[in-house]
């Protein structure tokens, strides 16, 4: 289903990219640890190219939790530490931090998120040749079973952990 509103926030230090191309700009520059949104106002977040480029991952995740609704979901995309893409600086994933699956799961859980599921993607090597390009569909479909460590990115879907407050009994 189509979203009622789609917004893109980019960290001020990164600069802005016009998005979507050919339409009205929906991108806003902001501080990475402050989103100009009310608490519990967002149902879905796609966090990409953020975790690997920040030195304040805890503060970023705290802010994501603040704006994410209690039944909201967030997909975090990070470079896979053992993948080809993290070791090539000509790629968007070749800069900053990279993560193993246990590492990013631990970080997300520590900051109040419940990991719902994860996936790996981007098996096509960043040094593609015409020969490999003809096999891209096969590579992407089959490498997860045979060479999961070579995935370029890890995708982790999380929900916000919301704890119920205890009911206090009134004294008679």
């Amino acid at each position: 289903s189509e979203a009622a509103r789609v917004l893109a926030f980019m960290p001020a230090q990164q600069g802005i990219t016009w998005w979507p191309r050919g339409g009205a700009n929906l991108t806003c520059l902001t501080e990475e640890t402050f989103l100009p949104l009310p608490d519990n106002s967002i149902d879905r977040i796609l966090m990409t190219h953020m975790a690997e480029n920040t030195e304040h991952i805890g503060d970023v995740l705290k802010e994501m939790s603040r704006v994410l609704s209690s039944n909201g979901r967030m997909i975090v995309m990070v470079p896979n530490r053992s993948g080809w893409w993290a070791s090539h600086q000509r790629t968007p994933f070749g800069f900053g931090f990279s993560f193993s699956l246990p590492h990013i799961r631990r970080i997300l859980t520590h900051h109040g998120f419940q990991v719902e599921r994860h996936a790996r993607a981007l098996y096509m090597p960043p040094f593609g040749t015409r020969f490999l390009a003809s096999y891209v569909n096969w590579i992407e479909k089959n490498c997860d079973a045979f060479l999961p460590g070579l995935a370029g990115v890890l995708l982790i879907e999380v929900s916000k952990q919301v704890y119920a407050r205890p009911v206090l009994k009134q004294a008679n």
Side-chain angles (χ1 to χ4, degrees), residues 44-106:
R44 300 289 183 266
I45 296 174
L46 173 60
M47 190 170 95
T48 181
H49 296 301
M50 174 61 85
E52 70 266 29
N53 292 309
T54 185
E55 294 181 10
H56 311 286
I57 189 68
D59 293 333
V60 167
L61 291 173
K62 186 175 176 182
E63 184 65 0
M64 296 297 159
S65 180
R66 181 187 71 79
V67 301
L68 192 63
S69 66
S70 59
N71 61 345
R73 296 286 177 117
M74 178 169 67
I75 296 175
V76 179
M77 184 173 81
V78 296
N80 180 12
R81 179 175 295 150
S82 63
W84 284 316
W85 289 78
S87 62
H88 285 76
Q89 292 186 351
R90 292 179 304 207
T91 75
F93 302 108
F95 297 94
F97 302 101
S98 57
F99 301 86
S100 67
L101 185 57
H103 182 210
I104 191 63
R105 287 178 68 106
R106 199 167 39 252

Side-chain angles (χ1 to χ4, degrees), residues 120-121 123 138-151:
R120 295 173 178 89
Y123 288 95
W138 186 91
I139 290 169
E140 292 297 322
K141 192 185 321 181
N142 294 294
C143 279
D144 193 44
F146 303 112
L147 301 167
L150 296 181

Side-chain angles (χ1 to χ4, degrees), residues 26-45:
L26 298 176
T27 306
C28 171
L29 282 182
T30 186
E31 294 299 318
E32 65 183 7
T33 57
F34 175 75
L35 296 174
L37 298 167
D39 294 356
N40 303 307
S41 61
I42 301 296
D43 292 325
R44 300 289 183 266
I45 296 174

